[in-house]
Amino acid sequence: GDAVDKVVGHSLRAGLLPLHGTILMVSGRASFELVQKALMAGIPMLAAVSAPSSLAVDLAAQHGLTLVGFLRG
């Protein structure tokens, strides 16, 4: 949440959006809200160490965002 907002906000101020050549990696669960933020920032892939929510999976699939869950080791 807040860390992603800071990254996207910094990228906006720096004129870097959309972030097409990036991967958003999070240390928690891939939520619906994180998928929304990735999509709005133009980030094509979201990877999380935990399980994605079912709403996150649905939204990612609808918009062609690659979603990786259980990214460990």
Side-chain angles (χ1 to χ4, degrees):
D2 290 341
V4 174
D5 291 342
K6 288 178 183 179
V7 168
V8 172
H10 169 77
S11 299
L12 176 63
R13 284 190 297 269
L16 300 174
L17 294 182
L19 296 170
H20 292 307
T22 63
I23 298 172
L24 178 59
M25 298 181 72
V26 297
S27 59
R29 185 175 178 129
S31 68
F32 177 83
E33 292 79 11
L34 286 178
V35 171
Q36 281 183 313
K37 290 175 184 185
L39 289 169
M40 292 173 65
I43 300 169
M45 179 181 281
L46 170 58
V49 298
S50 191
S53 71
S54 60
L55 287 175
V57 172
D58 292 343
L59 184 61
Q62 289 171 9
H63 293 279
L65 181 132
T66 300
L67 183 59
V68 178
F70 301 105
L71 182 66
R72 299 178 182 155

